[in-house]
Amino acid sequence: MLRLAAASLAGTAIEFYDFFVYGTAAALVLGPLFFPTFSPLAGTLAAFATFGAGFVARPLGSVLFGHLGDRRGRRPVLVLSLLLTGASTVAVGCLPSYGSIGVAAPALLLVLRFLQGLGLGGEWGGAVLLTAEHAPPGRRALWSSFPQVGPALGFVLANGVVLALSATLSDAEFARWGWRVPFWAAGALALGGLWLRSSLAESPRFLEIDDHARVPFAEVVRHHGRLVLLTAGALAAGYAVFYAVTTWSLAYATERLGVSRTVMLTCVMAAVVVKASLTPFMALLGDRYGRRPMCLTGCAACCVWMLPMVALLATGQPLLMFLGILGALVSFITMFAVIAAYLPELYEARVRCTGAAVGYNLGGVLGGALTPIVATALAEHSGRVPWSVGAYLTGVALLSLACFALLPETRPVSVPAVEPATG
């Protein structure tokens, strides 16, 4: 289990590195480079729109790779998704800017971001299922939380590279070529991830299935549509909170408050490190007290904390900004530490890869794709403290809280025995 969990963690860290390095670049440099004819605000919004395209692609990736995972096995998904995400990320780093090839530059940027999203849409389902279906029932949340640590490590790695470059290069050098280095590094990371995953065994639960679904997505829509919509709505708050503090806050603090890029990246990275360290502990609580209580608690905390968070961000003081971001991420991980065990347990094994991944990634569209764009637009028309952003995030959290309240508990029933409600 330790070797398997470590390989899954490393893989998700690499793929989310690819995804996050784009978000950081979108907040800091992509607007002027690929949308120079726009105003600064419009350029940032356009860059965030391409960022959102990756989220739109993720449900499609979960359908394509989910079909593969439910028909051919969880292991092939891990290899192909990593190849697609890694290759498209390296290509972004090689892409000429608007000044070199004109409108083709933002068009190609959008295509490559879409391909990134396709790969990541398949990654999560394969990684968490391979871990969850190997894990003993009494410790399934704990072992399944390892892939959930991967996004935090990917974020820290992506922003650590950007922070190092930002601290050593001038603004002109960073804009000219420095921003490309993190994208190029994705190639080496992808090769390392493929080596780690080459020796993984297929899920024993998949090997036990005698009657594979012919078209898993059609079966999910027909028999589990209500469940997919509820899980998507439930997860929207987590995505909205995470990308508000890791993507929108970077643009807001550097552009509106005049906080240096280095200071803001340091604040966010420190909070993400704390979040990652708390993930196994929150997962253990999920094994002890249940998945649904943890999700309800974390979601309720998001409802309470969003307005204080934006007030702390608006101070421009590093320590207070860090505390605001930390409170949001602790609330987030209280929910998401158990999601990798909770979602697979909600779906029957023959369509689990598709159902769990589609619900997870639809939540990303609802919460992650729109949040940087909406928050940027709302903050532009707010005063010193962007209360409207806090109100928006609170509203999303209330929606998710209602969805979690309608979902069943699954602990301690073993994964093979769980039968979801149809809808």
Side-chain angles (χ1 to χ4, degrees):
M1 280 305 309
L2 185 60
R3 180 173 60 86
L4 178 67
S8 294
L9 183 155
T12 54
I14 292 166
E15 292 224 40
F16 276 89
Y17 165 89
D18 297 351
F19 204 73
F20 288 141
V21 79
Y22 188 100
T24 303
L28 299 177
V29 297
L30 294 188
L33 290 174
F34 288 89
F35 305 96
T37 60
F38 292 13
S39 68
L41 172 63
T44 299
L45 288 171
F48 279 150
T50 62
F51 177 72
F55 284 99
V56 174
R58 283 172 64 168
L60 180 57
S62 64
V63 172
L64 296 174
F65 286 101
H67 183 93
L68 176 65
D70 285 324
R71 295 282 299 169
R72 303 299 179 190
R74 321 313 192 195
R75 188 171 174 271
V77 172
L78 299 184
V79 175
L80 294 177
S81 63
L82 187 59
L83 280 173
L84 178 59
T85 308
S88 56
T89 304
V90 172
V92 171
C94 300
L95 191 62
S97 66
Y98 184 95
S100 300
I101 60 174
V103 295
L108 289 172
L109 184 69
L110 185 64
V111 170
L112 292 173
R113 178 59 176 173
F114 191 84
L115 293 176
Q116 263 193 332
L118 280 181
L120 195 62
E123 161 66 25
W124 186 86
V128 301
L129 284 190
L130 202 62
T131 307
E133 292 183 337
H134 275 89
R139 284 289 179 264
R140 185 172 294 121
L142 174 62
W143 288 112
S144 299
S145 72
F146 277 72
Q148 292 297 84
V149 177
L153 294 182
F155 179 85
V156 171
L157 182 60
N159 285 276
V161 174
V162 173
L163 182 61
L165 291 166
S166 180
T168 55
L169 300 177
S170 67
D171 288 346
E173 290 172 327
F174 185 81
R176 188 167 62 251
W177 61 268
W179 69 272
R180 299 180 182 274
V181 175
F183 290 90
W184 295 336
L189 292 173
L191 291 176
L194 290 173
W195 176 77
L196 283 172
R197 290 181 165 182
S198 62
S199 61
L200 294 181
E202 183 54 81
S203 159
R205 183 66 189 103
F206 174 80
L207 297 176
E208 294 171 1
I209 301 173
D210 296 322
D211 182 24
H212 295 282
R214 292 189 60 187
V215 185
F217 180 65
E219 189 167 321
V220 166
V221 172
R222 187 166 58 248
H223 298 299
H224 314 299
R226 177 177 179 272
L227 185 58
V228 169
L229 293 177
L230 282 177
T231 53
L235 299 180
Y239 277 105
V241 170
F242 188 83
Y243 286 100
V245 300
T246 60
T247 300
W248 166 74
S249 70
L250 291 176
Y252 169 73
T254 55
E255 295 174 10
R256 289 287 303 277
L257 303 180
V259 178
S260 77
R261 187 166 54 216
T262 301
V263 168
M264 195 58 199
L265 284 172
T266 302
C267 289
V268 176
M269 286 173 57
V272 170
V273 169
V274 176
K275 176 193 80 79
S277 67
L278 290 176
T279 302
F281 173 71
M282 296 297 185
L284 279 172
L285 293 179
D287 277 326
R288 182 178 179 84
Y289 298 108
R291 291 43 162 143
R292 187 169 171 269
M294 296 296 294
C295 292
L296 290 171
T297 301
C299 205
C302 288
C303 295
V304 172
W305 188 248
M306 292 302 97
L307 290 174
M309 181 196 75
V310 296
L312 290 169
L313 279 177
T315 65
Q317 300 298 315
L319 179 59
L320 295 179
M321 291 192 299
F322 165 74
L323 292 175
I325 292 169
L326 179 62
L329 291 182
V330 170
S331 302
F332 160 83
I333 203 57
T334 303
M335 292 184 282
F336 269 57
V338 300
I339 288 298
Y342 193 21
L343 262 62
E345 290 170 345
L346 288 168
Y347 292 88
E348 57 183 314
R350 66 197 306 268
V351 295
R352 182 173 293 144
C353 194
T354 300
V358 169
Y360 185 83
N361 288 296
L362 276 178
V365 175
L366 295 174
L370 297 177
T371 293
I373 300 171
V374 173
T376 299
L378 290 175
E380 181 66 19
H381 300 289
S382 300
R384 171 76 181 184
V385 180
W387 296 115
S388 55
V389 176
Y392 166 75
L393 294 173
T394 302
V396 176
L398 287 170
L399 170 66
S400 294
L401 188 64
C403 292
F404 274 125
L406 294 173
L407 288 171
E409 177 57 82
T410 57
R411 185 198 65 92
V413 182
S414 63
V415 168
V418 170
E419 295 295 337
T422 59

